[in-house]
Amino acid sequence: MQTLKVELGDRSYPIFIGQGLLDRGVMAPYITGKQVLIVTNETIAPLYLSRLTATLDKQFNVDVVVLPDGEQYKNLEQINTIFDALLDKRHNRTTTLIALGGGVIGDMTGFAAACYQRGVSFIQVPTTLLSQVDSSVGGKTGVNHPLGKNMIGAFHQPQCVVIDTDVLNTLPEAELSAGMSEVIKYGLIYDEAFLCYLEDHIDGLMGLQSDLLEQAIFRSCEIKAEVVAQDEREGGIRALLNLGHTFGHAIETDQGYGAWLHGEAVGAGTMMAADLSCRLGYITPSDVERIQNILEAANLPITPPESMSAERFVELMTVDKKVIDGSIRLVLLKAVGDAIVTSDFSPEKLQETLQAGRDLGNCC
Ligand SMILES: NC(=O)c1ccc[n+]([C@@H]2O[C@H](COP(=O)([O-])OP(=O)(O)OC[C@H]3O[C@@H](n4cnc5c(N)ncnc54)[C@H](O)[C@@H]3O)[C@@H](O)[C@H]2O)c1
Ligand SMILES: [Zn+2]
């Protein structure tokens, strides 16, 4: 087992990463009261719930809420279901909520914990690669509103995060690829040596080799934790984590949520950011080819949907949350392993990227 500390002053917390951690009771010391509410969903409960309850049952009064599975249920109604359970079972201010699931369950459980009695403790047990390397680190919690994704939420840090790499064995392949696009992102924005590691081991990683996964998850969490520690509330450097995301969000919205997984849209979006970075003279065509190769090896899409016009991209990108004063701000690559956030690029170059279609990547 490896341990990583997220440094946030009196809100600092550890992330434990290793095989078989669900059964090893590593979270027990982080549960301060007697009461525990596990929040999970209908897919994950039959796979992992009994193993988690078995390790906690002897020491704590454990209650469980099983929510329906899916991003469409990430809403205030389900938060109310969590509150109903907490009140019905008379949970007090010392209770601890445990999120057992992917990012949807993690974001909702964290938000319920941030609100219940003005804030109670919670622990993350992320079960998708994406939630292990991204959503469980950084303290953003929340739900969707019919008028916007993640529009209702709060910052609330967990007591600890427990990442059991074995749970990835049951994850659908497309979800593994989607998570890998965020892992690749960390290499691209922050650490070229880590990108080399991913390039050397991508087949083993996609084949779920535990030791490789543990390393890749550790370094991903470490990079996200470093970035978040410098900029907890996203005033500056945290925005670099959005590489490929402004393009990706446009794809997700255009295709309808759920048609493309978030990480798949980020994969194509990352290629678009790389293409534009090349057109602006920041990175070379061989850098772009390198990025394309690793995305393809992770079975990610490398071009946007053919049906999306340049006009449609611009329309959707200008309503993205990240737009300030009407100008599109993008994360671009200055080099492989070094990113910037900028709105200082010529609109013509952006148009070239948006119109590239199947030629995306053949940029200079
Ligand atoms: N808080 C943040 O900083 C942050 C960052 C990125 C994403 N997010 C949020 O995370 C969510 C996406 O998370 P996600 O990609 O984990 O999706 P998800 O939670 O919907 O999980 C994907 C699917 O995999 C299933 N699943 C989960 N673990 C499994 C396992 N071990 N075996 C088999 N099936 C399993 C789930 O039931 C679900 O059907 C979005 O709502 C997004 O907004 C939040
Ligand atoms: Zn993302």
Side-chain angles (χ1 to χ4, degrees):
M1 179 175 85
Q2 301 197 54
T3 306
L4 174 74
K5 191 154 177 231
V6 182
E7 298 287 355
L8 291 169
D10 57 0
R11 281 166 289 104
S12 299
Y13 62 89
I15 302 176
F16 304 107
I17 306 165
Q19 282 186 265
L21 295 194
L22 264 188
D23 306 306
R24 290 197 8 212
V26 283
M27 70 187 74
Y30 296 85
I31 302 174
T32 41
K34 272 276 150 218
Q35 296 171 304
V36 166
L37 180 78
I38 300 173
V39 181
T40 188
N41 76 23
E42 287 163 342
T43 306
I44 298 147
L47 295 169
Y48 301 113
L49 180 60
S50 61
R51 283 174 54 193
L52 187 57
T53 46
T55 63
L56 298 172
D57 259 351
K58 290 173 212 85
Q59 268 176 285
F60 307 100
N61 302 324
V62 181
D63 293 307
V64 176
V65 177
V66 180
L67 301 177
D69 183 4
E71 181 77 34
Q72 69 272 35
Y73 299 107
K74 187 179 164 184
N75 57 31
L76 287 172
E77 199 185 325
Q78 302 306 323
I79 296 294
N80 251 328
T81 306
I82 301 173
F83 293 154
D84 288 347
L86 287 164
L87 288 163
D88 183 45
K89 307 282 184 188
R90 299 181 189 283
H91 282 246
N92 61 36
R93 289 224 58 209
T94 67
T95 189
T96 298
L97 273 59
I98 300 179
L100 174 67
V104 168
I105 288 294
D107 280 14
M108 283 202 286
T109 308
F111 184 53
C115 300
Y116 186 66
Q117 302 205 11
R118 298 188 188 83
V120 296
S121 297
F122 90 112
I123 289 173
Q124 296 259 25
V125 186
T127 61
T128 61
L129 181 59
L130 184 130
S131 58
Q132 294 180 344
V133 299
D134 192 353
S135 61
S136 66
V137 188
K140 284 189 185 176
T141 73
V143 293
N144 301 327
H145 183 277
L147 297 180
K149 203 169 177 277
N150 291 327
M151 282 296 158
I152 316 292
F155 282 94
H156 193 53
Q157 303 293 347
Q159 304 307 113
C160 69
V161 179
V162 177
I163 298 178
D164 184 340
T165 52
D166 286 346
V167 301
L168 299 178
N169 289 320
T170 55
L171 194 66
E173 271 174 41
E175 299 285 354
L176 184 73
S177 294
M180 201 57 76
S181 87
E182 306 282 359
V183 174
I184 293 166
K185 173 189 82 180
Y186 293 120
L188 289 174
I189 62 170
Y190 206 80
D191 183 355
E192 199 206 348
F194 181 48
L195 190 78
C196 293
Y197 175 86
L198 298 174
E199 288 169 332
D200 289 346
H201 298 295
I202 191 69
D203 292 339
L205 287 161
M206 296 307 290
L208 296 173
Q209 268 186 41
S210 308
D211 51 335
L212 299 176
L213 277 172
E214 198 174 307
Q215 273 314 111
I217 293 167
F218 184 91
R219 184 64 187 137
S220 298
C221 290
E222 194 172 47
I223 292 173
K224 181 152 186 194
E226 262 175 56
V227 170
V228 169
Q230 290 172 57
D231 180 21
E232 192 179 356
R233 292 189 175 238
E234 197 162 331
I237 180 180
R238 191 166 178 166
L240 297 182
L241 299 171
N242 293 319
L243 176 70
H245 280 60
T246 304
F247 296 110
H249 287 153
I251 296 172
E252 283 181 275
T253 310
D254 180 75
Q255 298 291 296
Y257 287 113
W260 281 51
L261 293 178
H262 170 75
E264 292 173 336
V266 168
T270 299
M271 265 308 285
M272 297 177 83
D275 179 279
L276 181 55
S277 304
C278 179
R279 286 176 202 279
L280 294 168
Y282 295 160
I283 60 172
T284 64
S286 68
D287 290 331
V288 179
E289 195 182 333
R290 195 176 160 193
I291 295 167
Q292 174 168 339
N293 288 341
I294 182 99
L295 291 170
E296 281 184 321
N299 301 323
L300 286 160
I302 45 143
T303 49
E306 272 177 56
S307 59
M308 273 186 84
S309 66
E311 294 69 42
R312 180 72 175 142
F313 262 107
V314 171
E315 179 194 333
L316 291 168
M317 286 165 67
T318 39
V319 298
D320 194 85
K321 265 197 293 209
K322 272 78 194 179
V323 170
I324 299 175
D325 303 332
S327 60
I328 298 176
R329 282 162 64 82
L330 291 171
V331 184
L332 296 175
L333 294 170
K334 276 278 185 189
V336 171
D338 185 16
I340 48 158
V341 185
T342 181
S343 50
D344 184 19
F345 48 83
S346 87
E348 291 76 30
K349 294 286 176 200
L350 175 60
Q351 276 297 321
E352 285 174 27
T353 292
L354 297 178
Q355 287 169 359
R358 299 265 146 223
D359 285 332
L360 194 70
N362 299 328
C363 31
C364 346

